[in-house]
């Protein structure tokens, strides 16, 4: 495993055929113009950092937890005098996630919608390919984080995406400033990857010259993440609605969610997550579904474990793991 550098802290995801369209050559401009025209960027990605949900202050701030205390600071008793260890008391988290609070409810829905929109970690044919940072990151998970963050920018912050270039005889159609990548990766995962950890080539060792030229790959050069995807992105938003929050202690929660395909918003076409104001994510489930034009059948459901930090008005979250039913 590569060593991830905490910022406070799968086999490749199968794509749904209806959500990807083949790009021939390097027809980038049309994608960028269409994706960016409706976005008003503030902060890192503007609408994805709406309100308080992007204000991460401290991740894992429970410094008094047993795992952080010095061990062996007191002399051990002789074996015959040792007492039976007491069961640790479960005191709960200091940062509360109350779904009855509208701002908190909106923040949880908006946060998880970033991942369900991109199908991050979703592979119903391979339940073992789940993202889980708590046991360290595999090379596949590092690749999936990098792949996710690129499409996340392309869909919701396309003004940050620039035209790439050929490097070492291989095509990289796009590039994103590495500082922006690190900032958004930290906001969503509570960590960043090193330059080496963000480099991959899905077609390494393959002999088809066309595939070698157009394949999916990433590299970091001169302050940019360069990325090429063999397929373009034709997104259908899949916003999440959180139905339960279980306190696991140490400012960690398990969120149960359902996700629905959005058909329209304000009379327009299917929206991206960033097209919908945060206030909409705070509506009761039935009203939220009606506002973004979904039917009563969820597209997917599951649980996500998140680390929680105090925010300005609502908690902020960093994804630890995600699991789909």
């Amino acid at each position: 495993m590569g060593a991830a550098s905490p910022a406070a802290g799968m086999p490749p995801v199968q794509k749904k055929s209806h959500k990807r369209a083949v790009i021939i050559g390097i027809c980038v401009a049309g994608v960028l113009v269409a994706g960016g025209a409706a976005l008003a960027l503030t902060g890192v990605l503007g609408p994805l950092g709406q309100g308080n949900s992007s204000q991460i202050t401290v991740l894992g701030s429970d410094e008094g937890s047993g795992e952080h205390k010095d061990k062996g600071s007191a002399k051990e008793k002789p074996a015959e005098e040792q007492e039976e260890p007491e069961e640790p008391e479960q005191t709960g988290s200091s940062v509360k996630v109350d779904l009855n609070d509208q701002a908190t409810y909106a923040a949880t829905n908006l946060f998880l919608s970033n991942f369900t929109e991109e199908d991050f970690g979703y592979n119903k044919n391979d339940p073992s390919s789940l993202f889980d940072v708590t046991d360290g990151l595999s090379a596949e998970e590092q690749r999936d984080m990098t792949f996710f963050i690129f499409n996340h920018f392309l869909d919701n912050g396309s003004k940050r995406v620039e035209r790439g270039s050929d490097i070492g005889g291989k095509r990289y159609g796009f590039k994103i400033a590495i500082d922006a990548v690190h900032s958004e990766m930290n906001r969503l995962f509570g960590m960043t990857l090193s330059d080496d950890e963000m480099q991959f080539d899905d077609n390494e060792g393959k002999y088809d010259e066309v595939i070698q030229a157009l394949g999916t790959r990433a590299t970091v050069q001169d302050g940019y993440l360069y990325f090429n995807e063999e397929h373009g992105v034709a997104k259908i938003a899949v916003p999440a609605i959180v139905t339960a929050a279980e306190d696991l202690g140490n400012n960690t929660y398990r969120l149960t969610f359902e996700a629905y395909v959005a058909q329209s918003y304000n009379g327009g076409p299917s929206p991206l997550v960033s097209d919908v104001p945060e206030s909409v994510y705070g509506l009761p489930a039935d009203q939220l579904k009606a506002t973004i034009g979904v039917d009563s059948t969820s597209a997917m459901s599951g649980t996500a474990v998140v680390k929680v930090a105090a925010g300005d008005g609502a908690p902020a979250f960093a994804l630890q793991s995600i699991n789909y039913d």
Side-chain angles (χ1 to χ4, degrees):
M1 131 187 157
S5 53
M10 17 208 230
V13 178
Q14 292 188 357
K15 302 175 184 177
K16 299 180 183 178
S17 59
H18 70 283
K19 298 180 70 175
R20 305 287 180 187
V22 175
I23 288 182
I24 298 176
I26 191 169
C27 301
V28 180
V31 176
L32 302 186
V33 172
L39 299 180
L41 297 176
T42 60
V44 178
L45 287 189
L48 287 190
Q50 296 173 63
N52 305 315
S53 58
S54 65
Q55 303 303 314
I56 289 182
T57 54
V58 179
L59 293 175
S61 59
D62 189 0
E63 296 178 356
S65 63
E67 64 181 359
H68 293 295
K69 294 180 180 178
D70 291 336
K71 297 180 180 179
S73 57
K75 294 182 179 180
E76 294 185 0
K77 297 180 180 180
E80 64 272 15
E81 296 182 18
Q82 287 185 353
E83 300 174 356
E84 288 293 325
E86 295 182 2
E87 290 293 326
E89 183 180 355
Q90 181 67 35
T91 58
S93 297
S94 60
V95 181
K96 301 304 178 184
V97 176
D98 180 6
L99 297 181
N100 292 315
D101 175 74
Q102 185 179 27
T104 299
Y105 175 67
T108 57
N109 290 343
L110 178 58
F111 177 78
L112 283 187
S113 293
N114 292 312
F115 299 98
T116 57
E117 179 185 56
E118 299 296 340
D119 289 359
F120 178 70
Y122 182 65
N123 188 345
K124 64 181 179 181
N125 296 318
D126 187 2
S128 66
S129 63
L130 304 174
F131 175 82
D132 188 347
V133 70
T134 59
D135 60 358
L137 286 172
S138 66
E140 289 82 3
E141 286 171 322
Q142 293 167 6
R143 179 261 185 211
D144 290 339
M145 282 178 65
T146 305
F147 188 90
F148 161 79
I149 207 73
F150 164 74
N151 282 299
H152 172 76
F153 269 97
L154 186 63
D155 289 330
N156 294 287
S158 59
K159 289 184 179 178
R160 294 297 186 100
V161 181
E162 303 176 39
R163 185 184 297 274
S165 60
D166 288 358
I167 299 176
K170 296 182 179 180
R171 175 172 298 171
Y172 293 87
F174 309 88
K175 66 179 182 180
I176 311 168
I178 199 65
D179 288 346
V181 171
H182 285 163
S183 179
E184 189 66 357
M185 192 174 282
N186 179 62
R187 183 179 78 85
L188 293 172
F189 295 97
M191 67 170 69
T192 60
L193 299 179
S194 69
D195 289 359
D196 287 343
E197 290 168 337
M198 284 189 282
Q199 300 189 81
F200 69 88
D201 190 339
D202 285 354
N203 297 290
E204 193 70 44
K206 294 185 179 178
Y207 297 102
D208 188 303
E209 293 183 0
V210 175
I211 294 295
Q212 281 285 11
L214 301 178
T216 301
R217 62 176 64 91
T219 190
V220 177
Q221 299 281 340
D222 301 324
Y224 283 89
L225 171 66
Y226 283 82
F227 200 98
N228 197 77
E229 189 180 358
E230 190 176 355
H231 298 83
V233 183
K235 298 305 296 182
I236 299 176
V238 186
I241 299 177
V242 176
T243 58
E246 177 189 358
D247 188 353
L248 302 179
N250 196 28
N251 291 341
T252 304
Y253 285 79
R254 179 181 289 111
L255 304 179
T256 303
F257 66 89
E258 298 174 346
Y260 297 82
V261 176
Q263 303 296 337
S264 64
Y265 175 67
N266 276 345
S270 173
L272 298 171
V273 166
S274 56
D275 294 332
V276 181
E278 185 172 8
S279 59
V280 173
Y281 290 96
L283 294 174
D286 288 346
Q287 293 183 38
L288 173 54
K289 288 187 284 187
T291 301
I292 58 177
V294 307
D295 58 29
S296 59
T297 303
S298 64
M300 62 181 74
S301 61
T303 58
V305 174
V306 296
K307 199 75 173 177
V308 187
D312 183 12
F317 310 93
L319 186 71
Q320 303 289 287
S321 65
I322 192 164
N323 180 21
Y324 297 89
D325 298 334

